[in-house]
Amino acid sequence: MNRESVKSRIERRRKAQQHQLLIVIAFFSLALGIWLWYHFIYTRTPEYSLKTLQNAIEQHDVDTAARCIDLDMLLSSAYDDLTDDMLHYDSALNDETREKYTAFYNQIKPELVSGMKDTILRYAATGEWILPDGTDITKGRLLGIDFERFLERSQLRSTDLAGAPAVHVTGSHTAVGTVNVQDRFTQYTFTLHFTMQQDSDGHWKITKIKNYRTYLDTISPRQNRDIADYIAATHGIVNEYNEQFAAQRARFQALTAQAKGNLTGPVAASIKALIQNEVVPTLKERQEQLDAVSIPPGAKYLANQRHMSTDLSIDAWKHYLHAIEKHSNEEFQTAETLLKQAVETDMRIKDIIRHNTVSQSLPDIS
C-alpha cells in the first residue's frame, strides 16, 4: 500500500509538472505570437497607422504624424478642389475672368500648398493655427490673395472629428476609409472618404480625401445663407456708422494737413479731442450694436472679423494718442502697424461679403 501510494504521488507530481510546463510553453508561445503579430502584421495595417496618427496629433509629435500622411499628395488634390469651389461661388466672375483666375491659382499652387503644409505642421506641433510670418511668400496678400481667408475657406480650422475612422483594404497596397466630421459653425455632420497607400516599408499613409469638394459644396451654401442673413440684419448699422466714420476721417485729414507734421498746440488738442470724444466712442458704439444682433452659426467668422477690426482700430487710435502726447515715433509706428492690420481685416470682410476669390488685381508673378 505504502509503495503504491509513493508511486501514485510521484506520478501525480510528474503529470502536474508536465501540465505546468505545457502552460508555460503555451503562455510564451502566445506572447511570442502576439509580439510577432503586433510587430510584423498589425504595425503594417492601415488601422495601426490611423491610431498612430491620432496619438501623434494628441501628443504634438510632428515627425510621427508626417509619416502617417502624405501631405504633399493630399494637399495637391485638396488645393484643386478648394480653388474650384472658391471660383464656383464667386458670382462676379464671367467665363473669361474665371479662366484667368484658374490659371492664376495654378501658377501659385506650389507656394500655397507649401504654405498650407507648413501651417498644418505648425498646428500639429503646437495645437495652434499659426499663420505665415516674416518673409514667407504666403504672408498677408503678397500673392494677391488673403492667406488667412484661404485657410478659413478650406474649413480646416472649423472641422472637428465626430467619430473614429473606419478603414478596409481594397488591394495589395491600397485601402479606403471613412470618418465622420462636423462643421463647428453650422454643426452639420458629414462623412469624409479617404484613401490610403502602403509604402515599401509596409507602413500606410493617407493620400487623399476623395469627397473633399463635396464637403465644401455642402458646407459653403449653408455658411453663405447665414452670412447673407447676417449682412441683411446688420446692414442699417453698418451704413449709419460708415457715414459717421467718413465724416470723422475727413475732419482728421483736414486737421493733420493743417498741422503740417507739427502735432503740438491747438491743432494737436483738436486731434486728441476728435479721437477721444468721437472716433473711439463711435467705434465702441457700433460694435455694441453689432454684438446685440443675433449671429447665425455660419456667419460667426464674419462677425469675429468685424470684432477684430474694431479692436485693432481702437488700439491703433489709442497708440496714436500716446504718440501725440509723448512725441514718440515708436508709438506712431505701433499705431501704423495696427492700422494696417485693421485695413487688411476690413479688406477680408469685403472679400467675404462679395465672395471674392482674389483680393485684388491679379499680380504679375511671372
Side-chain angles (χ1 to χ4, degrees):
M1 292 289 294
N2 290 338
R3 195 176 296 171
E4 291 178 357
S5 296
V6 170
K7 286 182 178 181
S8 297
R9 287 197 296 271
I10 292 173
E11 183 66 20
R12 283 197 299 271
R13 188 178 301 134
R14 185 181 66 80
K15 289 182 178 180
Q17 290 173 342
Q18 288 178 342
H19 182 67
Q20 291 173 352
L21 179 60
L22 288 173
I23 291 175
V24 171
I25 293 173
F27 173 79
F28 279 106
S29 296
L30 178 62
L32 178 61
I34 293 174
W35 185 87
L36 291 172
W37 171 83
Y38 182 85
H39 287 281
F40 292 96
I41 299 177
Y42 179 63
T43 57
R44 286 166 171 75
T45 63
E47 291 86 356
Y48 175 79
S49 179
L50 292 175
K51 185 63 177 177
T52 301
L53 174 61
Q54 182 179 351
N55 292 336
I57 292 174
E58 292 174 355
Q59 298 169 11
H60 304 303
D61 184 348
V62 178
D63 293 336
T64 300
R67 288 197 295 270
C68 299
I69 304 179
D70 189 331
L71 272 178
D72 293 320
M73 185 179 294
L74 187 147
L75 288 176
S76 178
S77 172
Y79 178 88
D80 295 337
D81 288 338
L82 175 57
T83 52
D84 286 347
D85 191 71
M86 292 174 66
L87 291 168
H88 174 75
Y89 282 98
D90 192 339
S91 57
L93 299 179
N94 55 37
D95 291 342
E96 181 181 356
T97 308
R98 184 173 283 105
E99 186 176 338
K100 289 181 180 179
Y101 279 15
T102 299
F104 168 71
Y105 273 119
N106 288 336
Q107 191 175 8
I108 64 173
K109 179 177 179 176
E111 289 79 12
L112 281 184
V113 168
S114 176
M116 292 289 286
K117 180 179 179 180
D118 291 343
T119 302
I120 291 171
L121 291 177
R122 281 193 293 268
Y123 172 76
T126 65
E128 298 180 5
W129 292 102
I130 303 172
L131 295 179
D133 201 355
T135 59
D136 195 304
I137 190 65
T138 57
K139 177 186 176 183
R141 296 167 182 259
L142 293 178
L143 284 175
I145 68 166
D146 180 7
F147 187 79
E148 153 66 28
R149 183 168 172 254
F150 184 81
L151 179 63
E152 180 65 23
R153 190 63 177 74
S154 73
Q155 308 297 342
L156 272 175
R157 295 183 299 192
S158 59
T159 298
D160 300 318
L161 289 178
V167 63
H168 66 275
V169 177
T170 56
S172 58
H173 299 289
T174 59
V176 296
T178 60
V179 61
N180 289 332
V181 296
Q182 186 177 65
D183 174 54
R184 194 176 306 145
F185 292 135
T186 63
Q187 297 297 300
Y188 185 82
T189 301
F190 187 85
T191 301
L192 288 175
H193 299 265
F194 57 88
T195 60
M196 300 184 73
Q197 291 184 4
Q198 190 177 30
D199 286 342
S200 57
D201 62 2
H203 294 93
W204 292 80
K205 286 185 176 182
I206 298 175
T207 56
K208 183 179 181 180
I209 305 298
K210 296 174 65 177
N211 60 339
Y212 177 54
R213 171 66 189 273
T214 305
Y215 177 57
L216 295 175
D217 284 339
T218 302
I219 297 299
S220 295
R222 287 170 167 79
Q223 291 183 344
N224 289 339
R225 283 196 296 269
D226 285 354
I227 289 172
D229 290 343
Y230 176 66
I231 291 171
T234 57
H235 179 74
I237 298 172
V238 172
N239 279 356
E240 175 188 349
Y241 281 92
N242 279 348
E243 291 178 3
Q244 295 186 46
F245 292 143
Q248 291 170 359
R249 185 163 52 250
R251 289 166 56 196
F252 176 78
Q253 290 172 347
L255 286 170
T256 53
Q258 181 180 346
K260 296 180 180 179
N262 183 22
L263 296 179
T264 58
V267 175
S270 296
I271 293 175
K272 289 173 59 178
L274 175 62
I275 296 172
Q276 289 176 323
N277 302 331
E278 297 186 51
V279 175
V280 171
T282 303
L283 284 166
K284 291 180 178 179
E285 287 173 9
R286 184 192 65 167
Q287 191 57 53
E288 288 173 359
Q289 292 199 30
L290 289 174
D291 290 342
V293 176
S294 178
I295 305 171
K300 287 182 179 178
Y301 179 71
L302 173 57
N304 291 340
Q305 291 299 307
R306 281 179 168 174
H307 211 298
M308 182 186 300
S309 171
T310 300
D311 291 343
L312 287 169
S313 297
I314 290 174
D315 286 346
W317 285 114
K318 287 182 177 179
H319 280 282
Y320 196 81
L321 278 175
H322 295 157
I324 296 174
E325 293 168 350
K326 302 176 182 179
H327 304 288
S328 169
N329 286 330
E330 184 178 348
E331 288 288 345
F332 273 118
Q333 292 173 359
T334 301
E336 286 295 318
T337 299
L338 290 168
L339 183 59
K340 288 179 181 177
Q341 293 174 4
V343 169
E344 286 184 357
T345 305
D346 288 339
M347 292 173 65
R348 183 177 305 130
I349 291 169
K350 291 179 180 178
D351 290 342
I352 295 171
I353 292 173
R354 298 171 181 173
H355 303 297
N356 287 349
T357 57
V358 177
S359 304
Q360 58 191 37
S361 300
L362 293 178
D364 182 6
I365 57 173
S366 57

